[in-house]
Amino acid sequence: MCSPEEAALLRLEEVFSATLARVNSLVLQPLLSAAREPSEPQSRECLRLLQQLHSSSQQLWELTGESLHSLQERLRHPDSTGLESLLLLRGADHVLQVYTEYIESYTSCIVVQAFQKAAKRRSEFWRGQLKALRQLLSGVGSKGSVGTALIQALRQPLTHHVQQYVLLLLSLADTVPERHPARELVVNAATLFGNLQSFMRQALDQAVATQALWPTLSRRQRDVLCTPARRLLQDSQDVPVTVTPLRAERALLFDDALVLLQGHNVHTFDLKLVWVDPGQDGGTFHLLTPEEEFSFRAKDPQGHAVWQWKVTQAVCQALRGKKDFPLLGAGLEPSEPPACRCTAHTFRAEGRFCQATYEGEWCRGRPHGKGTLKWPDGQNHVGDFHQGLEHGYGTEEVYKGYFQEGLRHGFGVFESPPQAAQPFRYTGHWEKGQRSGYGIQDDSDRGERYIGMWQADQRHGLGVVVTQAGVCYQGTFHADKMVGPGILLSEDDSLYEGTFTKDLTLTGKGKVTFPNGFTLEGSFGSGAGRGLQTQGVLDTSALPPDLSSICKRQLGLGAFPVENRWQGVYGPFRDFVSAGCPGDLQEALLGFHVQSSRELRKSQDYLCCARTQPEDSVGRIKDSLEELLQHREPKALQQYLRKALSNSLHPLGKLLQRLMLTFQATYAGVGANKHLQGLAQEEVKQHAQELWATYRGLLRVALQHKGQALDEEEEEEEEDAETRDLRVHGLVLPLVLPSFYSELFTLYLLLHEREDSLYSQGITSLSLFPDTKLLEFLEVQKHLWPLKDLTLTTNQRYSLVRDKCFLSATECLQKIMTTVDPREKLEVLERTYGEIEATVSRVLGREHKLPMDDLLPLLIYVVSRARIQHLGAEIHLIRDMMDPIHTGGLYDFLLTALESCYEHIQKEDMRLHRFPGHWDSRELW
């Protein structure tokens, strides 16, 4: 027997097929007729786009006919024709492709206003067709323009059809038994069409934004930039950003190019040749191109995060050559663009390469690897390139850091020449000219990063290695080689404990724990051409493990005590404070010197601070200490710390910049690995403690200069660890977290990717419900429904209203993404709770405190409507970084409530629209 859902799908396809045929005769054919015999290039472009749209519409109509036929056969012969025979299920990927091609054709017409331009040529005809057009549509007023009616006629039937697809497929999934062979096909089709809805919304939003951009530009700028396929992703008029050194008046990020406008000049940069380099300042990041380097500085951390994320994802998308699906940055492919690429570029700037075209391999904005360089006069170079120069040229090695008796000593950064046999970059501690102590080294050839201990220029002691492929391992090193057993984590979260080679070949005794809980323990080995061999015991009796705990295994915790890792950075600042902050020795103690193999310059360039004369440093330190004494009250102190930390000439600002450098060297790029999240989290907290200790040291020095000392109460606070921790979390951590947030939050994203994916599926499913249906689904008591807040338009029913109930609470909760401060995020959560109670009190006409059983479904409603991306990562970061003073208090309670909502939305009954039955508050809270 066929299900009612299959019969409903048949009726849906019949209606859609008839609608497509009518749209073709009523809209597309007349548009094509009006656009024929164009006399101008723009008109010819419109004709081409309309012809492409007509072709896509025809393919969609034919596909709908095939789908209809497969449904008819299924309903005629249900016993001999299985559910899996339906085109929607067996050919879901092909169906999706036809739909996306139509959407691309349609949005390209919107970008260049093809519908409006074609309609103008037969305006009298279209005015006569308005009534017939409006009969195709629902919810469109009688006063709309012809252009609006045409746009709606080509979009609304498709949007409604896809929405009905999702609802019916989800409903069909509920009727198919778990072990039925077609079950997976139905769930897959429902997911694909749910994703298609998100893709359509983003495509339409981008097209409308792009079309709205062109009138704001000059005619010359439009002629250069306007193409049907181009989409606007970000505009600096919406999220302000300052671009230096170009001083661009406006920055536009398209899906294929970055554009900087300066007067009448248009500077266009191909995204395939743009590299994103996170800056040391939390509000700045850098872009590298073959001929230019820019700094982008936003007004706040949120603006910085928006621009850096969108540019990064746009570069990834451009390199892949296809749009991300369903949303920008949400595909299965890596979200970090590779440092090395292969493409072509013609140099325009004056210089030896002017007018030459290079085609080949690139690395960080420079020709690097195999390539061909051709000049217009016929001269060319074919072969190897190193950092932008033909083989035989090259830059020298560079060290930036501390010295002692002419030798590298203390903290420093070393970059080997790119033409070296094994090029590398080392960030860490040195002793008498050799790498020694804790340090980070990138091996660009092997695509891996070593994090751990060194001795006499060799890896020696405990260490962790992370690779570009996602594999990471931990073990003990001796004389640059790993010795004894170690821990190896593969990309699929399999765990191996035992011995293995440098090339990650398992050898000797060991134990493999697979993601499903099975274990294999025994001896491993390999031979030429024989692959991996093992002799041991496979245990399949273990209970399935908690998958979230498996993927969250952490490396390095306990191996490198957090207080000892960056002593080479903390030490000079402690020495400076202990010496009484002598201004004339500030650069000697805190300045970073640069040494190249060409010459040793003892007091010239500084990595983290501008050069100053000794007498300037003396005066500046005195002023800083004097100002410090004037800002000792809590509010004033916070303002002082914020100012000092943002000043690269202040000791606190210098220390913060140095710590940002080490953090990026460890956790950016290859180091963005979920198994390092624990290391990074405790490092940020330790840095906040060290900055607070430095401040307290500066305060003591300032008082000593005045012949004073800390009073008895302040001395007691200094000795009390609990009070000190409260100061660190309450004052310092919120101020320094933005400087580490980009790398830290990326680690949280990776760590909680699985849960966030399930949560996202749940949000997508719940978003299909109108407001009243969702409130009913969540079993919110009807007397709490805020129906009096809804204003209905003509012919609109309560059952169709979407995203209107508890709107103030929803909009309030969305602000949790606009700050990086955990305390401010918790304040947003408190205000959201207040908005929910205020709405309920208004509905009831009296003040009302919600009991727990009523609050949970309402909060789930608000969370589902807020559609906050990566909510799991947000929650865990707040939990890990919040002030311990809030433990057990209101903020802790509200955060626990939000966690309960997040966990419940991940459940299958939310993702597949199954009613949960009665809420069990004991289980959820």
Side-chain angles (χ1 to χ4, degrees), residues 387-450:
Q387 292 295 305
L389 301 177
E390 303 96 319
H391 187 65
Y393 295 83
T395 57
E396 307 297 333
E397 63 184 37
V398 176
Y399 169 80
K400 303 173 183 178
Y402 295 109
F403 290 89
Q404 182 174 299
E405 297 179 356
L407 296 174
R408 301 165 193 153
H409 192 87
F411 175 74
V413 179
F414 176 87
E415 291 187 70
S416 67
Q419 67 269 29
Q422 294 181 322
F424 68 91
R425 176 188 174 96
Y426 174 82
T427 304
H429 199 70
W430 298 77
E431 286 187 14
K432 298 180 179 179
Q434 295 182 322
R435 290 165 287 179
S436 188
Y438 184 77
I440 315 298
Q441 179 160 302
D442 283 333
D443 185 331
S444 54
D445 282 351
R446 291 178 61 85
E448 60 184 38
R449 176 174 296 166
Y450 173 82

Side-chain angles (χ1 to χ4, degrees), residues 110-181:
I110 289 180
V111 167
V112 296
Q113 293 188 309
F115 303 129
Q116 293 90 329
K117 292 175 183 176
K120 280 183 180 179
R121 303 187 66 177
R122 297 181 64 185
S123 56
E124 290 296 327
F125 168 81
W126 287 112
R127 276 196 288 271
Q129 294 291 95
L130 264 178
K131 184 176 180 180
L133 280 175
R134 290 184 179 123
Q135 289 176 351
L136 273 175
L137 309 172
S138 62
V140 176
S142 60
K143 297 182 180 180
S145 66
V146 171
T148 301
L150 290 173
I151 290 171
Q152 290 287 351
L154 290 163
R155 180 181 70 189
Q156 193 180 87
L158 180 72
T159 304
H160 174 75
H161 190 64
V162 173
Q163 181 180 4
Q164 294 303 307
Y165 263 169
V166 176
L167 291 173
L168 287 173
L169 287 170
L170 286 170
S171 188
L172 180 60
D174 283 340
T175 68
V176 180
E178 290 286 344
R179 298 185 180 277
H180 193 282

Side-chain angles (χ1 to χ4, degrees), residues 72-118:
Q72 290 169 339
E73 287 297 306
R74 164 70 175 156
L75 266 67
R76 288 195 196 103
H77 312 288
D79 296 330
S80 59
T81 307
L83 186 60
E84 58 273 12
S85 67
L86 297 183
L87 179 65
L88 278 176
L89 305 185
R90 60 179 169 81
D93 289 333
H94 172 64
V95 174
L96 189 73
Q97 180 182 354
V98 174
Y99 273 79
T100 54
E101 287 176 358
Y102 178 87
I103 294 165
E104 289 295 324
S105 301
Y106 170 75
T107 53
S108 293
C109 291
I110 289 180
V111 167
V112 296
Q113 293 188 309
F115 303 129
Q116 293 90 329
K117 292 175 183 176

Side-chain angles (χ1 to χ4, degrees), residues 249-452:
E249 298 161 3
R250 192 173 183 182
L252 302 172
L253 176 64
F254 293 99
D255 57 354
D256 65 330
L258 174 68
V259 175
L260 303 178
L261 304 180
Q262 189 182 37
H264 294 294
N265 296 323
V266 179
H267 305 274
T268 305
F269 303 92
D270 184 354
L271 289 180
K272 294 178 183 176
L273 284 168
V274 171
W275 282 259
V276 182
D277 188 15
Q280 297 177 14
D281 184 348
T284 303
F285 65 94
H286 307 290
L287 295 184
L288 311 178
T289 72
E291 300 181 69
E292 302 278 357
E293 292 187 14
F294 305 107
S295 294
F296 273 56
R297 183 169 187 85
K299 289 185 176 180
D300 51 47
Q302 292 74 39
H304 170 267
V306 167
W307 270 100
Q308 182 171 328
W309 184 84
K310 283 199 175 180
V311 172
T312 300
Q313 300 311 316
V315 171
C316 288
Q317 182 176 262
L319 290 170
R320 287 192 284 267
K322 61 178 182 179
K323 289 188 180 297
D324 291 348
F325 186 87
L327 300 171
L328 180 68
L332 298 176
E333 295 85 354
S335 57
E336 285 291 333
C340 298
R341 308 166 192 176
C342 189
T343 189
H345 173 74
T346 300
F347 290 87
R348 303 297 181 192
E350 290 297 325
R352 197 165 57 86
F353 286 0
C354 185
Q355 302 302 317
T357 298
Y358 173 80
E359 184 172 2
E361 297 174 338
W362 297 77
C363 184
R364 294 180 59 76
R366 297 179 180 178
H368 186 78
K370 302 290 183 182
T372 301
L373 189 65
K374 295 181 179 180
W375 281 265
D377 60 4
Q379 177 188 357
N380 64 71
H381 174 86
V382 180
D384 292 332
F385 290 77
H386 291 285
Q387 292 295 305
L389 301 177
E390 303 96 319
H391 187 65
Y393 295 83
T395 57
E396 307 297 333
E397 63 184 37
V398 176
Y399 169 80
K400 303 173 183 178
Y402 295 109
F403 290 89
Q404 182 174 299
E405 297 179 356
L407 296 174
R408 301 165 193 153
H409 192 87
F411 175 74
V413 179
F414 176 87
E415 291 187 70
S416 67
Q419 67 269 29
Q422 294 181 322
F424 68 91
R425 176 188 174 96
Y426 174 82
T427 304
H429 199 70
W430 298 77
E431 286 187 14
K432 298 180 179 179
Q434 295 182 322
R435 290 165 287 179
S436 188
Y438 184 77
I440 315 298
Q441 179 160 302
D442 283 333
D443 185 331
S444 54
D445 282 351
R446 291 178 61 85
E448 60 184 38
R449 176 174 296 166
Y450 173 82
I451 303 168

Side-chain angles (χ1 to χ4, degrees), residues 581-588 603 610-624 649:
C581 303
D584 55 340
L585 295 180
Q586 181 179 3
E587 290 199 354
S603 182
R611 285 197 66 203
T612 57
Q613 297 299 322
E615 56 272 18
D616 294 336
S617 296
V618 173
R620 184 172 291 113
I621 284 294
K622 287 183 178 179
D623 292 342
S624 296
L649 298 177

Side-chain angles (χ1 to χ4, degrees), residues 782-814:
K782 286 195 174 182
H783 70 281
L784 302 180
W785 294 11
L787 299 182
K788 64 174 66 175
D789 290 351
L790 306 183
T791 303
L792 301 182
T793 59
T794 306
N795 299 325
Q796 193 176 24
R797 302 190 303 275
Y798 282 125
S799 60
L800 298 178
V801 174
R802 190 187 305 270
D803 296 332
K804 297 298 183 183
C805 290
F806 294 97
L807 183 59
S808 62
T810 300
E811 291 176 343
C812 183
L813 184 59
Q814 288 171 337

